[in-house]
Amino acid sequence: RLTLVALVPLPFVSFAVWYFGDAIHKRSDAIQAQLADVTAVTQESLAGVRVVRAYRQEEAEIARFRRSNAELVARNVGLARLQGVFFPSLTLLLGAGAVLVLWFGSRAVIAQRISLGEFVAFNSYLVMLSWPMIAFGWVTNIIQRGLASWSRLLDVMDAVPAIRDVEADPAALAGGIAGAIDVRGLTFVHPGATRPALDDVTFRVEPGQTLAIVGGTGAGKSTLVSLIPRLLDPPPGTVFIDGVDVRRVPLARLRGAIGMVTQEPFLFSDTLEANIAFGVAGAGMSAAQAAAIAGLDTDVQAFPHGLQTSIGERGITLSGGQKQRTALARAVAREPRILILDDAMSAVDTYTEERILGRLRDVMRARTSIIVSHRISTVRDAGLILVLDAGRIVERGTHASLVAAGGIYAEMHRRQLLEAELAAS
């Protein structure tokens, strides 16, 4: 009978553990979300420190951080208050059970239904069981906080990549990639877009040939070159390398054979050499050689520690042109079979561009190259030039033939020659 009396508070204890455990889980999840927001605010402010200073927004950024941090503190205080109620509640309920046992047990001793020694022994066992019950609540708190963090990790780890090797054949191009690129009737629409970014695009690039793509802003140039390494997934049967649909080539093999420089190069907070050697496996080109080809060698000599100079967060210590040349050196160092330069020299002057292109010619001669640019001077030596307009190929040919045709390309050429003459005068 005393055991039944001692178990009277147990349903209330179970309810308290369930209620507070669920509340702790929700508040811990909210704290983790707010901590992510604080981290994002800090990272953005530090990465964009030059913009913040240029627009005199230091105080605004400090205020933004304070607001985010104050919310984090408030959520942590809320959790601390909840825990402050949780543990005393368990102690109160277990204490109520002890009071009930003391009341009914003492009456049983007086009535001589049990001996005093049995009653003392029973209370000793009850005290021994009290700590495990309190510890159970403490462990529940830890588990719920851990589960809130773990669920956020699972959101990342269980995320399925949109582009993956679903249709890949492990044997596809296993003997190596020569570099022939075929695009056949390619029409591509970005998710959520109302009109195609590319419309019925067809061309072929032979191994070792240089293809240039020009066109106005929004013509689809970057979209087109992103489909080759499957940074965007092309429709089946539209993009081929060496006669094999890129969707059938394992991603590691496909991207391992391609060196790509994007419009906005991303650099890591590491040394210049480490950034250039990023992704170079085995017998790649040395960082010094790649830097020389990219026209970065004279800059390296001026750096305090040469190639071992740390370039800071996203290469913050480098100029725009130096960032682009570092990204170019990184692509060249891999010695890829296919080299894609997506407006890779827009931040350098025409003199530096000429010097880089002169050094790149030997590199491009040995591999298939695709150059996207707004400058005619960058693409005039290409074996084939495509002119894109609103996602369609409106002109194709060599520099000489396109200038003679008097179309969009010729107009771009005349306008840029005029701009150069005005700049020179």
Side-chain angles (χ1 to χ4, degrees), residues 30-42 68 72 152:
I31 287 171
Q32 293 295 326
Q34 186 60 29
L35 180 60
D37 183 69
V38 171
T39 304
V41 169
T42 306
S68 184
L72 177 63
R152 291 177 63 82

Side-chain angles (χ1 to χ4, degrees), residues 356-370:
I356 296 172
L357 288 173
R359 297 178 181 183
L360 275 175
R361 285 192 182 95
D362 290 336
V363 174
M364 293 191 295
R365 193 175 294 118
R367 53 190 46 83
T368 305
S369 303
I370 300 177

